[in-house]
Amino acid sequence: MQKLLLVYCLFLISCDTSQQNPGKQLLEKSISYHDPEGEWSKLKARFYLSNTDTAGKEDLFQLEMDNATGYFCHISKQDGKEIVKGTSKGKDFFLIDGQQQISEEDRKKYELNAESVKWVHNFYGYLYGLPMKLMDAGATISDTVSNEEFNGKTYETIQVKYD
């Protein structure tokens, strides 16, 4: 009976996919470094950001995220107006200067539509959620770990593809 239990335990250990996939192991190691307390899924934050285009024009904006509820909001100033686009509980919302009544002309001008909200949410959620976002559904983690040089240092890298 003890031998059977030992064989069963060894079998379970050998079935662990992270043990079989060095790429997944490296990603898990990276996540444990960047999010050691596992807080990403509970993150509730407001980011104050600045973007400068190639002409040197600065664009200030804010992001609000609540990963526990799925709330996301992008707040910017354009043409002296506060433009808000976001999603909460699976529904998109848009505001101009706090008002929900928005003309079709302004909806087009400020890209207040579902595709724009989805793009902004996916882009910034991915950008600030790395490397944790690489474990999202639809991500396929290569089992190959490569070495790449960047700024004179060598790093282990993996390839992640999406459906």
Side-chain angles (χ1 to χ4, degrees), residues 24-89:
K24 188 171 181 185
Q25 282 182 308
L26 181 59
L27 180 54
E28 288 171 352
K29 181 179 175 183
S30 180
I31 290 170
S32 71
Y33 175 81
H34 289 279
D35 188 19
E37 303 298 321
E39 295 293 318
W40 172 250
S41 64
K42 299 177 271 182
L43 176 72
K44 185 174 186 176
R46 178 180 278 211
F47 297 91
Y48 296 87
L49 303 165
S50 171
N51 187 28
T52 306
D53 67 17
T54 55
K57 183 181 176 235
E58 186 177 39
D59 177 32
L60 302 172
F61 62 101
Q62 298 170 39
L63 299 175
E64 293 178 346
M65 299 171 80
D66 184 343
N67 289 344
T69 65
Y71 171 83
F72 176 86
C73 185
H74 179 275
I75 305 161
S76 64
K77 289 274 188 191
Q78 295 178 47
D79 304 322
K81 299 177 181 180
E82 181 182 73
I83 309 299
V84 176
K85 53 180 137 183
T87 186
S88 180
K89 298 180 182 173

Side-chain angles (χ1 to χ4, degrees), residues 27 31 40 122 125-126 129 131-141 160-163:
L27 180 54
I31 290 170
W40 172 250
N122 287 342
Y126 182 82
M132 291 69 68
K133 294 294 287 176
L134 298 176
M135 294 292 276
D136 281 0
T140 303
I141 302 160
V160 179
K161 294 182 180 182
Y162 288 88
D163 296 341

Side-chain angles (χ1 to χ4, degrees), residues 75-127:
I75 305 161
S76 64
K77 289 274 188 191
Q78 295 178 47
D79 304 322
K81 299 177 181 180
E82 181 182 73
I83 309 299
V84 176
K85 53 180 137 183
T87 186
S88 180
K89 298 180 182 173
K91 295 195 182 228
D92 298 337
F93 61 89
F94 310 99
L95 303 169
I96 295 181
D97 289 332
Q99 301 298 310
Q100 290 180 325
Q101 299 299 322
I102 302 168
S103 70
E104 280 305 311
E105 179 183 338
D106 280 346
R107 285 184 183 278
K108 288 179 185 174
K109 180 177 182 178
Y110 300 112
E111 297 181 10
L112 302 178
N113 56 60
E115 296 81 27
S116 178
V117 171
K118 183 177 180 180
W119 188 90
V120 171
H121 180 222
N122 287 342
F123 179 79
Y124 288 108
Y126 182 82
L127 182 66

